[in-house]
Amino acid sequence: MKVTEQDIKTVASLSRLKIRPEESARVIEQLDEILTYVDILKSIDTEKISPTTYALPMQNVFREDVVKPSLDRDLALSNAPLKEDGYFKVPRVLEE
Amino acid sequence: MKLYEKTAHELHDMLVAKKISAVELTNNLLARIDEKESDIGAYLEITRENALATAEKVDAKIARGEEIAPLEGIPCAIKDNICTKGVKTTCASKILENFVPPYDATVMEKLNAQNLVMLGKANLDEFAMGGSTENSAYHPTKNPWDINRVPGGSSGGSAAAVASGEAIFALGSDTGGSIRQPASFCGVVGLKPTYGRVSRYGLVAFASSLDQIGPITRDVRDCAMVLNAICGNDKMDSTSTAAPVPDFTESLVTYVKNLKIGLPKEYFVSGMDKEIEDAVIEATDVFEKLGAKIVEISLPHTEYAIATYYLIAPAEAATNLERYDGVSYGARVDGVDVVDMMTNTRTEKFGEEVKRRIMIGNYALSAGYYDAYYLKALKVRTLIQNDFTEAFKNVDLVLTGEMVNDPLKMYLQDICTVPTNLAGLPGISIPCGFTREYLPIGVQLIGKPLDEATILRAAYTYEQNQNSGNKIAQ
């Protein structure tokens, strides 16, 4: 097994996902299966190869720094699960 | 009259000649949807009133003697991961169950400028993750040729709608084969444009360096027409290319003399179905008879493509899907504090496959594993792209099979489609016949970067020179 219980906890926390204790073994198994499969990449020498993030050669795309009309505030808030006075409303972030 | 069986270009001619009205056409499709939808399940939502209102506008325009654009008044389906202003866009996920986009995707703006008659939003695997459309959080879509089979995916709703006569054409999206594979399973034409050809603005992101929107149609002419309508540079998507966009309908000539077609030996993998292999050979025979030259080529890193994709796509997906946090849009499940709320929301509202990919992606991106997995995959991606660059020094396009609709061999499907996305190349899947069980078979043509014109020309030539049978499943 490549993946440990601790790995799963860390990754689940990074992912903001809850893994129930009874699911843990299955998740480890699934992740392990993928990681074992992708190990075939290790057999390739990529020492001198540069990574490709985008398939087409792209340079920085610049535009003039001017203000343009953007989404109306009410419209931007129209899908908010909870809102108040023109703001998104979320549960408490800091302790009292 | 079975107007739903016709192609967009035939219907355009009929509209112009006033043989039919746009409202009559839309009603014909809506009636077909009423007849078939309970069996097929191609749609997540049907936008009946909007469709008829737009059709009326088109009829008024025709009545005034104004010219109409090629797709004007032609009823279509839009994959439900493409944002449609005022019309729910769910990505077939519970996390976007009530999401009504306040803006249109760029492709929608372009099509709406042609008075697009959108019949509805087409089903998909949740967030386009999957190859069968069984992975929708709402309902699976069935294959119109055999409702006990899957239509492929993730654009399975789009492909099934076109194949069953529930839409004349559709838009899909393709990250690792999600247009071409369902097109092949449903016996229709599906094209993934070169990365950057079509703006991704308003396409709900899965893997941003791989995603492209593209057409699913009944024939190659329709495919070129839809491509014409959606391509082009967009200020809202800085990865969209500024390369000039040709009129793709000019590629629709039957001429392949001296065209060099490469057959990559690595794609004839063991486990490939004999019927598919025969279909590919038959297709190459058609090309050869018409004067094309068939050359065996090698794409030596093909066997690493799936592993590369299995790392890059989830890594990008994990990052893209961070935005579903229950704050600004989408579902929210309450919690004791903000982190608990976000965690509860994501845990309850994402499906299993989506969560699995998020976990893989975040694992590959996390400290200590980034170099070994993610960076390694990006480097192998370079090698895969180099394979194609080398091959295209000697050939004009590459021809491969598409896998048969066999649940046990689904994983083999990816090998035919994934490398194209990793290399950013255009690829088209066209029907080339049926299996003994009367399931469609597709053949794929892959082109050089930005050279959709050549694969369209070859696809058109092939289509005009062979009879692949029925286009619509009854």
Side-chain angles (χ1 to χ4, degrees), chain B residues 25-98:
Chain B
L25 172 59
T26 301
N27 276 322
N28 192 276
L29 269 290
L30 289 169
R32 178 67 173 176
I33 289 173
D34 290 338
E35 180 194 346
K36 299 300 288 184
E37 185 58 6
S38 58
D39 286 341
I40 308 292
Y43 287 98
L44 287 168
E45 188 179 352
I46 293 156
T47 49
R48 206 172 286 265
E49 285 76 27
N50 284 355
L52 284 166
T54 314
E56 277 171 23
K57 275 206 271 185
V58 176
D59 281 338
K61 215 171 148 180
I62 296 169
R64 288 196 301 269
E66 289 175 40
E67 242 183 70
I68 55 165
L71 298 174
E72 206 152 349
I74 310 294
C76 77
I78 302 294
K79 189 176 182 181
D80 204 29
N81 60 351
I82 295 172
C83 283
T84 44
K85 189 176 180 175
V87 176
K88 244 185 348 182
T89 299
T90 68
C91 283
S93 179
K94 292 285 181 190
I95 212 158
L96 286 174
E97 196 165 18
N98 298 308

Side-chain angles (χ1 to χ4, degrees), chain A residues 2-3 5 10 14 16-20 23 25 29 37 39 42 44 48 54 64-65 74 78 82-83 85 87 90 92:
Chain A
K2 293 169 174 298
V3 184
E5 195 89 28
T10 310
L14 287 170
R16 295 282 185 265
L17 291 171
K18 233 175 240 169
I19 309 284
R20 290 194 304 273
E23 290 173 320
E29 196 184 299
Y37 177 70
D39 262 352
K42 290 200 174 132
I44 317 169
K48 296 191 177 75
Y54 281 95
E64 290 305 309
D65 186 16
D74 286 342
S78 60
L82 213 57
K83 58 194 160 189
D85 300 334
Y87 293 97
V90 295
R92 173 186 313 284

Side-chain angles (χ1 to χ4, degrees), chain A residues 61-73, chain B residues 201 233-238:
Chain A
V61 180
F62 293 110
R63 61 168 171 76
E64 290 305 309
D65 186 16
V66 287
V67 177
K68 284 191 201 153
S70 59
L71 210 56
D72 170 82
R73 185 160 77 172
Chain B
Y201 180 68
N233 187 231
D234 180 16
K235 290 201 163 42
M236 302 302 278
D237 174 7
S238 57

Side-chain angles (χ1 to χ4, degrees), chain A residues 18 44 50 52 55 79 89, chain B residues 100 332 344 362 376 382 385:
Chain A
K18 233 175 240 169
I44 317 169
S50 53
T52 295
N79 281 285
K89 196 174 174 186
Chain B
V100 180
R332 173 185 293 189
N344 289 344
N362 278 332
K376 183 80 186 184
T382 306
Q385 192 172 20

